[in-house]
Amino acid sequence: MKFRIGWLVVLGLFIAVGIYVYNFFYGGYKVYSYFDRDFTLKVGDYAKVNDEVYVKLEKITDNRCKEETCEREGQQVAQVMVINDHRIRRLELGALAEYKQKIEKTDYTIILKEINEQNEATFMLTTNEDINY
């Protein structure tokens, strides 16, 4: 009996991993783009840049102060997943600080251009580090 329960647990894990992978690649809208071009994503969408890099927008967090009397300004933060060369990297890009990050062990830099009120974020993936925005 324990043997059958063990196999059911393993089968359940395989099904869960399969659903996660399916939702990642087919769950959102797919955008095709090129280096040094802007692309806009909603939460759950992903972009395929130059058939080399996948960028998926996982979540947008709004840390801005909604009250009248605030001591801090706050910012919107976009959490993205970047997949390239069989490596997965999770990055957080903010509207005020850390809007541009070099992706480690690659020649790519991802830039957050803007986050609008409809929970859409505009990004640019570039190989040129000298671009200032």
Side-chain angles (χ1 to χ4, degrees), residues 67-115:
E67 301 172 10
E68 297 267 337
T69 58
C70 287
E71 296 179 13
R72 60 181 177 85
E73 186 175 347
Q75 68 176 341
Q76 290 177 304
V77 178
Q79 294 178 352
V80 296
M81 181 188 309
V82 179
I83 300 175
N84 182 10
D85 292 333
H86 306 293
R87 293 188 179 155
I88 298 173
R89 295 162 194 92
R90 293 184 188 271
L91 304 171
E92 288 189 358
L93 301 168
L96 297 177
E98 294 287 328
Y99 70 94
K100 177 169 78 168
Q101 285 189 18
K102 173 129 174 59
I103 302 170
E104 59 185 63
K105 297 184 182 181
T106 65
D107 296 331
Y108 309 130
T109 302
I110 188 165
I111 301 168
L112 174 66
K113 296 286 197 101
E114 72 171 332
I115 299 175

Side-chain angles (χ1 to χ4, degrees), residues 21-119:
V21 168
Y22 178 82
N23 283 336
F24 177 79
F25 286 105
Y26 299 107
Y29 185 72
K30 188 177 197 178
V31 176
Y32 294 98
S33 185
Y34 298 98
F35 290 118
D36 300 327
R37 282 198 182 162
D38 295 348
F39 55 91
T40 302
L41 301 174
K42 293 181 182 178
V43 174
D45 293 349
Y46 65 97
K48 187 174 184 182
V49 181
N50 267 25
D51 293 332
E52 294 179 28
V53 183
Y54 288 97
V55 178
K56 180 170 179 137
L57 179 59
E58 292 184 320
K59 183 166 86 169
I60 295 177
T61 306
D62 192 356
N63 296 330
R64 295 179 295 179
C65 185
K66 306 279 195 247
E67 301 172 10
E68 297 267 337
T69 58
C70 287
E71 296 179 13
R72 60 181 177 85
E73 186 175 347
Q75 68 176 341
Q76 290 177 304
V77 178
Q79 294 178 352
V80 296
M81 181 188 309
V82 179
I83 300 175
N84 182 10
D85 292 333
H86 306 293
R87 293 188 179 155
I88 298 173
R89 295 162 194 92
R90 293 184 188 271
L91 304 171
E92 288 189 358
L93 301 168
L96 297 177
E98 294 287 328
Y99 70 94
K100 177 169 78 168
Q101 285 189 18
K102 173 129 174 59
I103 302 170
E104 59 185 63
K105 297 184 182 181
T106 65
D107 296 331
Y108 309 130
T109 302
I110 188 165
I111 301 168
L112 174 66
K113 296 286 197 101
E114 72 171 332
I115 299 175
N116 62 22
E117 296 301 321
Q118 290 82 26
N119 278 341

